[in-house]
């Protein structure tokens, strides 16, 4: 069964450094998402991406964040200058069409020290 | 504002007993409703969804959920719990309106503990 993959599984970085989290969505899916889950808290929406552009972003998704789908398969989340409060599990998800369920990747645990 | 509430942080049941994990929502119109499960150090796994039709939906691993429009609830149920069902359960909603980007709004999660 096709699945969403994410790399790395765990990333440790120093405050102020740039990080890129990578995702490979399911190949025929059209909608792509990033969510984050701070330890012990609920899953929060960050950004949605459709037709090669951001379709919606949350208040969390400020100028430090950006997303790209550079080659038609990978879907990346970049944090330009990480802060301690960016430490969280980041989930990528994809959706085949306008209905149905999102398929989530296993997540990348980001630790900012 | 859209919101999802899971009023119980933890639900404890004995193996073999029925379980219910509660979810209520506040979304304009008729949303799409979902349940996901998260095992330790794992991603979110889809369990079931309500899009339209029969209010009782059946999903993976023997789970089911009942959509109640008047009570704006979507409680997750299973007739006979297994120890292996112990995990963190998330209810999520998505606005059905045209042009919606499909983002999910999640509840805070309920830890299900099934004891032998």
């Amino acid at each position: 069964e096709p699945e969403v993959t994410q790399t790395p599984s765990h990333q440790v970085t120093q405050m102020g450094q740039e990080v890129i989290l990578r995702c490979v969505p399911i190949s025929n899916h059209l909608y792509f998402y990033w969510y984050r889950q701070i330890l012990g808290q609920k899953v929060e929406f960050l950004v949605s991406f459709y037709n090669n552009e951001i379709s919606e972003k949350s208040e969390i998704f400020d100028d430090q964040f950006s997303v790209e789908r550079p080659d038609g398969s990978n879907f990346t989340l970049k944090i330009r200058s990480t802060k301690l409060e960016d430490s969280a599990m980041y989930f990528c998800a994809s959706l085949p069409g306008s209905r149905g369920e999102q398929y989530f990747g296993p997540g990348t645990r980001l630790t900012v020290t | 504002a859209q919101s999802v509430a899971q009023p119980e942080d933890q639900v404890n049941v004995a193996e073999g007993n029925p379980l219910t994990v509660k979810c209520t929502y506040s979304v304009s119109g008729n949303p799409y409703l979902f349940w996901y499960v998260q095992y330790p150090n794992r991603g979110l796994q889809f369990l079931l969804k309500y899009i339209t039709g029969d209010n009782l939906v059946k999903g993976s691993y023997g789970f089911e959920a009942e959509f109640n429009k008047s009570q704006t609830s979507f409680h997750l149920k299973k007739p006979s719990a297994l120890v292996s069902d112990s995990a963190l359960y998330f209810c999520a909603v998505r606005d059905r309106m045209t042009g919606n980007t499909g983002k999910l709004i999640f509840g805070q999660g309920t830890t299900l503990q099934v004891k032998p």
Side-chain angles (χ1 to χ4, degrees):
Chain A
E1 185 177 337
E3 58 183 19
V4 177
T5 60
Q6 291 185 243
T7 54
S9 57
H10 191 191
Q11 173 94 43
V12 181
T13 190
Q14 290 188 329
M15 194 167 52
Q17 296 296 304
E18 175 183 286
V19 294
I20 297 176
L21 310 183
R22 291 182 167 80
C23 169
V24 179
I26 296 173
S27 62
N28 60 346
H29 285 194
L30 301 176
Y31 299 81
F32 311 104
Y33 305 86
W34 284 100
Y35 295 84
R36 80 171 186 189
Q37 183 183 31
I38 295 172
L39 186 63
Q41 298 186 24
K42 66 179 179 181
V43 179
E44 300 174 288
F45 168 75
L46 289 178
V47 65
S48 59
F49 193 85
Y50 171 69
N51 203 24
N52 287 319
E53 62 182 19
I54 291 173
S55 48
E56 186 175 356
K57 56 185 181 180
S58 71
E59 293 178 351
I60 303 168
F61 195 88
D62 62 21
D63 292 345
Q64 294 299 313
F65 291 87
S66 63
V67 289
E68 277 189 334
R69 193 153 190 259
D71 56 12
S73 60
N74 291 286
F75 181 49
T76 62
L77 174 69
K78 180 192 292 185
I79 310 175
R80 289 191 185 82
S81 179
T82 51
K83 303 188 283 280
L84 294 176
E85 54 265 37
D86 293 327
S87 295
M89 181 73 88
Y90 288 81
F91 292 107
C92 172
S94 66
L95 180 67
S98 58
R99 293 169 57 137
E101 67 273 17
Q102 292 181 21
Y103 291 73
F104 282 79
T108 292
R109 181 169 297 284
L110 177 65
T111 302
V112 183
T113 61
Chain B
Q2 301 172 337
S3 65
V4 179
Q6 294 179 241
E8 302 150 317
D9 289 336
Q10 182 158 327
V11 170
N12 298 308
V13 297
E15 188 173 34
N17 283 1
L19 68 88
T20 299
V21 182
K22 295 179 180 177
C23 172
T24 58
Y25 62 90
S26 175
V27 176
S28 58
N30 296 317
Y32 297 152
L33 299 160
F34 304 86
W35 277 99
Y36 284 84
V37 60
Q38 185 180 32
Y39 295 98
N41 302 312
R42 302 285 297 277
L44 297 165
Q45 296 179 31
F46 168 76
L47 273 181
L48 50 79
K49 66 187 177 193
Y50 173 80
I51 302 296
T52 188
D54 194 348
N55 289 344
L56 183 65
V57 294
K58 295 186 183 296
S60 306
Y61 313 119
F63 284 93
E64 57 190 29
E66 185 165 14
F67 169 59
N68 188 317
K69 185 176 180 179
S70 63
Q71 297 186 1
T72 61
S73 67
F74 190 57
H75 301 330
L76 181 71
K77 299 182 179 185
K78 187 173 182 181
S80 180
L82 300 172
V83 172
S84 57
D85 292 331
S86 299
L88 181 59
Y89 290 79
F90 288 99
C91 180
V93 301
R94 178 192 148 188
D95 195 330
R96 185 187 290 262
M97 291 175 65
T98 301
N100 179 258
T101 60
K103 72 177 183 186
L104 292 174
I105 307 296
F106 284 88
Q108 64 267 42
T110 298
T111 298
L112 174 65
Q113 187 76 36
V114 181
K115 297 187 177 178

